[in-house]
Amino acid sequence: MSRTVYVNGEYLPEEEAKVSIFDRGFLMADGVYEVTSVLDGKLVDFDGHVRRLERSLKELDMAAPATAEELLEIHRELVARNGIEDGMIYLQITRGSAGDRDFVFPDPAVTPSTIVLFTQAKPGLADNPVAKQGISVISIEDIRWGRRDIKTVQLLYPSMGKMMAKKAGADDAWLVEDGKVTEGTSNNAYIVKNGRIITRELSTDILHGITRAAVLRFAREAQMEVEERAFTIEEAQQADEAFFTSASAFVMPVVKIDGVQIGTGTPGPVAARLREIYLDESRKAAV
Ligand code: PDD
């Protein structure tokens, strides 16, 4: 069934939505994005996603084509028009099209940003059976650029990482730089040792996950111990549990890293509890 999507101020059937071949998102990967999940027809962590989007735009000196209120309205309209109960909303903003290819940024007063949003229906998103079994990851070298805190559309290497994982018979990849795990291809990485939750500290090396922020807040509220520091693959392989977080997967247990079983090889109690708390609280706070 054809979706209704949003492009530069218009709601259109997906077949009719068009962006210029000169768009800098297409030519230069000069764009940023957000993925917000929808549960029970409501937006999860919307404020966090909009705040991070504003920061990404600011860091890249890119004009914001809509206010936070307008973005909320567009998200809600797309949820309603497409009848989304559970799923995701993808939003992308690029530096637009100046009608030719040029490395130099166009003047934003002359060339408006391009904004595109579309929905992805995922019935039963929160009941993904994979969360009951856990997933396997491989480790690969992190050769992405140095500003991973900006959520840009430069996703070639993360895509290659997922393909490397697939080829190796695993589900996903964790990225390693200078011997330490940075994050997953599209998620933040954690281990649990003696009840303590360990995840890399925030810096320009990783994306500041919105789910990460919420999960760590809930963990601390539940009196769980949290340590924000980098860890190695060897430490992760000897941990009691491992998991990752993202807007689309929530809290996902990892049961194997580079072929080595983690803990009992089944999802651990900390990841299971955090998933439950995150889903409960997010549903309550969803807008
Ligand atoms: N990915 N790290 C990276 C590299 C990511 O791409 C993502 C999100 C995260 C988790 O961030 P959040 O909790 O705000 O979703 C961490 C999205 C879901 C994607 O690319 O589809």
Side-chain angles (χ1 to χ4, degrees):
M1 208 185 76
S2 170
R3 279 172 284 196
T4 296
V5 303
Y6 179 89
V7 186
N8 297 328
E10 285 187 287
Y11 293 94
L12 295 168
E14 61 185 49
E15 301 79 12
E16 289 170 29
K18 302 242 176 345
V19 172
S20 166
I21 63 159
F22 299 114
D23 194 278
R24 292 182 61 91
F26 180 61
L27 295 181
M28 307 274 186
D30 188 358
V32 298
Y33 77 107
E34 283 296 331
V35 176
T36 303
S37 60
V38 178
L39 290 177
D40 313 320
K42 288 186 172 172
L43 304 160
V44 174
D45 278 335
F46 181 77
D47 281 348
H49 287 285
V50 166
R51 261 185 277 120
R52 183 172 62 191
L53 176 71
E54 288 170 346
R55 178 177 179 278
S56 294
L57 290 168
K58 191 159 157 276
E59 291 296 311
L60 295 175
D61 223 1
M62 209 181 279
T67 63
E69 294 72 38
E70 287 163 347
L71 289 176
L72 177 58
E73 173 63 30
I74 299 165
H75 277 72
R76 283 181 165 159
E77 189 65 26
L78 284 178
V79 167
R81 288 192 188 215
N82 293 287
I84 304 293
E85 269 301 301
D86 296 330
M88 273 102 71
I89 308 228
Y90 178 84
L91 171 158
Q92 180 169 328
I93 296 174
T94 76
R95 207 180 303 273
S97 160
D100 203 349
R101 180 173 182 265
D102 190 349
F103 283 86
V104 175
F105 291 176
D107 179 354
V110 180
T111 303
S113 311
T114 297
I115 176 166
V116 167
L117 286 93
F118 57 81
T119 53
Q120 293 182 293
K122 302 271 177 196
L125 180 66
D127 306 315
N128 186 350
V130 176
K132 297 238 157 37
Q133 294 150 234
I135 67 137
S136 62
V137 300
I138 57 164
S139 63
I140 60 172
E141 193 63 26
D142 195 341
I143 57 167
R144 298 174 300 163
W145 80 323
R147 287 302 307 273
R148 301 156 192 157
D149 56 312
I150 307 173
K151 198 163 172 63
T152 76
V153 295
Q154 304 172 85
L155 297 178
L156 181 55
Y157 191 64
S159 293
M160 288 169 73
K162 297 225 193 234
M163 294 312 291
M164 287 183 238
K166 210 170 153 176
K167 205 167 164 194
D171 301 300
D172 207 344
W174 277 9
L175 307 167
V176 176
E177 188 173 54
D178 298 331
K180 303 270 174 67
V181 174
T182 50
E183 59 187 331
T185 56
S186 62
N187 46 66
N188 291 115
Y190 308 70
I191 56 172
V192 182
K193 189 72 182 177
N194 299 326
R196 182 187 287 250
I197 299 159
I198 302 161
T199 192
R200 195 178 176 106
E201 71 280 8
L202 295 181
S203 71
T204 50
D205 297 336
I206 63 167
L207 186 76
H208 301 187
I210 302 306
T211 320
R212 177 190 184 281
V215 164
L216 293 188
R217 189 175 70 245
F218 297 141
R220 287 179 170 122
E221 281 169 11
Q223 315 300 327
M224 295 174 171
E225 263 186 274
V226 175
E227 194 179 340
E228 294 183 64
R229 65 158 173 89
F231 55 84
T232 64
I233 287 291
E234 293 67 36
E235 189 181 3
Q237 286 171 328
Q238 286 154 28
D240 302 325
E241 292 183 40
F243 63 93
F244 69 69
T245 64
S246 76
S248 45
F250 311 117
V251 178
M252 182 59 69
V254 171
V255 294
K256 207 184 256 185
I257 303 176
D258 286 338
V260 174
Q261 183 177 299
I262 310 306
T264 60
T266 54
V270 174
R273 177 143 180 250
L274 285 176
R275 183 179 172 88
E276 198 181 300
I277 300 176
Y278 178 76
L279 285 170
D280 280 355
E281 296 297 325
S282 299
R283 278 186 206 279
K284 273 191 240 160
V287 297

